mmCIF file of all heavy atoms in Angstrom:
data_model
loop_
_atom_site.group_PDB
_atom_site.id
_atom_site.type_symbol
_atom_site.label_atom_id
_atom_site.label_comp_id
_atom_site.label_asym_id
_atom_site.label_seq_id
_atom_site.Cartn_x
_atom_site.Cartn_y
_atom_site.Cartn_z
ATOM 1 N N LEU A 102 82.454 36.460 130.760
ATOM 2 C CA LEU A 102 83.392 37.519 131.145
ATOM 3 C C LEU A 102 83.040 38.121 132.497
ATOM 4 O O LEU A 102 83.931 38.472 133.299
ATOM 5 C CB LEU A 102 83.439 38.601 130.070
ATOM 6 C CG LEU A 102 84.067 38.195 128.742
ATOM 7 C CD1 LEU A 102 83.862 39.275 127.693
ATOM 8 C CD2 LEU A 102 85.550 37.891 128.911
ATOM 9 N N LYS A 103 81.772 38.232 132.777
ATOM 10 C CA LYS A 103 81.325 38.759 134.084
ATOM 11 C C LYS A 103 81.762 37.837 135.209
ATOM 12 O O LYS A 103 82.292 38.295 136.228
ATOM 13 C CB LYS A 103 79.799 38.907 134.079
ATOM 14 C CG LYS A 103 79.240 39.470 135.368
ATOM 15 C CD LYS A 103 77.723 39.617 135.256
ATOM 16 C CE LYS A 103 77.120 40.145 136.566
ATOM 17 N NZ LYS A 103 75.630 40.257 136.471
ATOM 18 N N ILE A 104 81.608 36.531 135.028
ATOM 19 C CA ILE A 104 81.995 35.556 136.057
ATOM 20 C C ILE A 104 83.512 35.477 136.184
ATOM 21 O O ILE A 104 84.049 35.403 137.282
ATOM 22 C CB ILE A 104 81.385 34.179 135.742
ATOM 23 C CG1 ILE A 104 79.846 34.248 135.834
ATOM 24 C CG2 ILE A 104 81.921 33.114 136.700
ATOM 25 C CD1 ILE A 104 79.137 33.010 135.340
ATOM 26 N N ILE A 105 84.205 35.515 135.041
ATOM 27 C CA ILE A 105 85.673 35.490 135.044
ATOM 28 C C ILE A 105 86.225 36.665 135.836
ATOM 29 O O ILE A 105 87.115 36.519 136.685
ATOM 30 C CB ILE A 105 86.210 35.484 133.598
ATOM 31 C CG1 ILE A 105 85.936 34.142 132.922
ATOM 32 C CG2 ILE A 105 87.706 35.803 133.573
ATOM 33 C CD1 ILE A 105 86.130 34.156 131.423
ATOM 34 N N SER A 106 85.690 37.841 135.594
ATOM 35 C CA SER A 106 86.157 39.051 136.279
ATOM 36 C C SER A 106 85.900 38.982 137.774
ATOM 37 O O SER A 106 86.763 39.341 138.588
ATOM 38 C CB SER A 106 85.477 40.276 135.675
ATOM 39 O OG SER A 106 85.851 41.450 136.360
ATOM 40 N N ALA A 107 84.720 38.519 138.161
ATOM 41 C CA ALA A 107 84.337 38.466 139.576
ATOM 42 C C ALA A 107 85.167 37.458 140.369
ATOM 43 O O ALA A 107 85.341 37.618 141.583
ATOM 44 C CB ALA A 107 82.853 38.135 139.690
ATOM 45 N N ASN A 108 85.682 36.438 139.679
ATOM 46 C CA ASN A 108 86.397 35.351 140.367
ATOM 47 C C ASN A 108 87.883 35.268 140.017
ATOM 48 O O ASN A 108 88.570 34.367 140.494
ATOM 49 C CB ASN A 108 85.728 34.011 140.037
ATOM 50 C CG ASN A 108 84.333 33.912 140.600
ATOM 51 O OD1 ASN A 108 84.128 33.560 141.744
ATOM 52 N ND2 ASN A 108 83.343 34.216 139.755
ATOM 53 N N SER A 109 88.366 36.208 139.177
ATOM 54 C CA SER A 109 89.768 36.213 138.742
ATOM 55 C C SER A 109 90.173 34.871 138.155
ATOM 56 O O SER A 109 91.273 34.352 138.421
ATOM 57 C CB SER A 109 90.695 36.584 139.909
ATOM 58 O OG SER A 109 90.387 37.870 140.416
ATOM 59 N N PHE A 110 89.309 34.294 137.351
ATOM 60 C CA PHE A 110 89.596 33.014 136.707
ATOM 61 C C PHE A 110 90.699 33.179 135.665
ATOM 62 O O PHE A 110 90.822 34.222 135.032
ATOM 63 C CB PHE A 110 88.355 32.438 136.053
ATOM 64 C CG PHE A 110 87.350 31.846 137.003
ATOM 65 C CD1 PHE A 110 86.040 31.627 136.609
ATOM 66 C CD2 PHE A 110 87.727 31.482 138.289
ATOM 67 C CE1 PHE A 110 85.118 31.075 137.465
ATOM 68 C CE2 PHE A 110 86.801 30.916 139.175
ATOM 69 C CZ PHE A 110 85.487 30.721 138.758
ATOM 70 N N LYS A 111 91.475 32.112 135.457
ATOM 71 C CA LYS A 111 92.611 32.147 134.545
ATOM 72 C C LYS A 111 92.565 31.107 133.439
ATOM 73 O O LYS A 111 93.215 31.268 132.406
ATOM 74 C CB LYS A 111 93.921 31.973 135.331
ATOM 75 C CG LYS A 111 94.193 33.069 136.357
ATOM 76 C CD LYS A 111 94.367 34.425 135.704
ATOM 77 C CE LYS A 111 94.679 35.518 136.716
ATOM 78 N NZ LYS A 111 94.736 36.861 136.097
ATOM 79 N N THR A 112 91.865 29.985 133.669
ATOM 80 C CA THR A 112 91.886 28.893 132.684
ATOM 81 C C THR A 112 90.458 28.546 132.269
ATOM 82 O O THR A 112 89.610 28.265 133.098
ATOM 83 C CB THR A 112 92.577 27.651 133.281
ATOM 84 O OG1 THR A 112 91.945 27.312 134.527
ATOM 85 C CG2 THR A 112 94.048 27.916 133.505
ATOM 86 N N ILE A 113 90.242 28.541 130.955
ATOM 87 C CA ILE A 113 88.898 28.344 130.401
ATOM 88 C C ILE A 113 88.961 27.209 129.349
ATOM 89 O O ILE A 113 89.895 27.166 128.533
ATOM 90 C CB ILE A 113 88.384 29.627 129.737
ATOM 91 C CG1 ILE A 113 88.625 30.849 130.628
ATOM 92 C CG2 ILE A 113 86.915 29.460 129.352
ATOM 93 C CD1 ILE A 113 87.936 30.852 131.952
ATOM 94 N N LEU A 114 87.948 26.360 129.350
ATOM 95 C CA LEU A 114 87.797 25.314 128.339
ATOM 96 C C LEU A 114 86.532 25.601 127.540
ATOM 97 O O LEU A 114 85.449 25.722 128.093
ATOM 98 C CB LEU A 114 87.699 23.947 129.015
ATOM 99 C CG LEU A 114 87.428 22.732 128.090
ATOM 100 C CD1 LEU A 114 88.545 22.534 127.088
ATOM 101 C CD2 LEU A 114 87.183 21.467 128.921
ATOM 102 N N ASP A 115 86.688 25.727 126.222
ATOM 103 C CA ASP A 115 85.561 25.956 125.301
ATOM 104 C C ASP A 115 85.306 24.679 124.525
ATOM 105 O O ASP A 115 86.137 24.281 123.689
ATOM 106 C CB ASP A 115 85.887 27.132 124.373
ATOM 107 C CG ASP A 115 84.838 27.344 123.292
ATOM 108 O OD1 ASP A 115 83.668 27.007 123.530
ATOM 109 O OD2 ASP A 115 85.197 27.846 122.214
ATOM 110 N N ILE A 116 84.184 24.024 124.790
ATOM 111 C CA ILE A 116 83.887 22.731 124.158
ATOM 112 C C ILE A 116 83.005 22.933 122.925
ATOM 113 O O ILE A 116 81.955 23.553 123.008
ATOM 114 C CB ILE A 116 83.210 21.782 125.151
ATOM 115 C CG1 ILE A 116 84.145 21.464 126.324
ATOM 116 C CG2 ILE A 116 82.747 20.496 124.459
ATOM 117 C CD1 ILE A 116 83.520 20.590 127.402
ATOM 118 N N GLY A 117 83.449 22.380 121.800
ATOM 119 C CA GLY A 117 82.749 22.579 120.528
ATOM 120 C C GLY A 117 83.062 23.952 119.980
ATOM 121 O O GLY A 117 82.182 24.702 119.574
ATOM 122 N N THR A 118 84.330 24.270 119.909
ATOM 123 C CA THR A 118 84.774 25.641 119.633
ATOM 124 C C THR A 118 84.442 26.148 118.242
ATOM 125 O O THR A 118 84.298 27.340 118.036
ATOM 126 C CB THR A 118 86.288 25.773 119.923
ATOM 127 O OG1 THR A 118 86.644 27.149 120.036
ATOM 128 C CG2 THR A 118 87.134 25.091 118.865
ATOM 129 N N GLY A 119 84.321 25.241 117.248
ATOM 130 C CA GLY A 119 83.968 25.675 115.900
ATOM 131 C C GLY A 119 84.940 26.693 115.345
ATOM 132 O O GLY A 119 86.140 26.435 115.238
ATOM 133 N N SER A 120 84.453 27.871 114.989
ATOM 134 C CA SER A 120 85.301 28.929 114.422
ATOM 135 C C SER A 120 86.260 29.520 115.445
ATOM 136 O O SER A 120 87.139 30.301 115.088
ATOM 137 C CB SER A 120 84.427 30.052 113.864
ATOM 138 O OG SER A 120 83.724 30.720 114.919
#
Side-chain angles (χ1 to χ4, degrees):
L102 291 171
K103 182 179 178 181
I104 295 171
I105 289 166
S106 177
N108 294 276
S109 300
F110 285 162
K111 298 297 181 185
T112 54
I113 314 297
L114 175 63
D115 174 28
I116 297 177
T118 196
S120 67

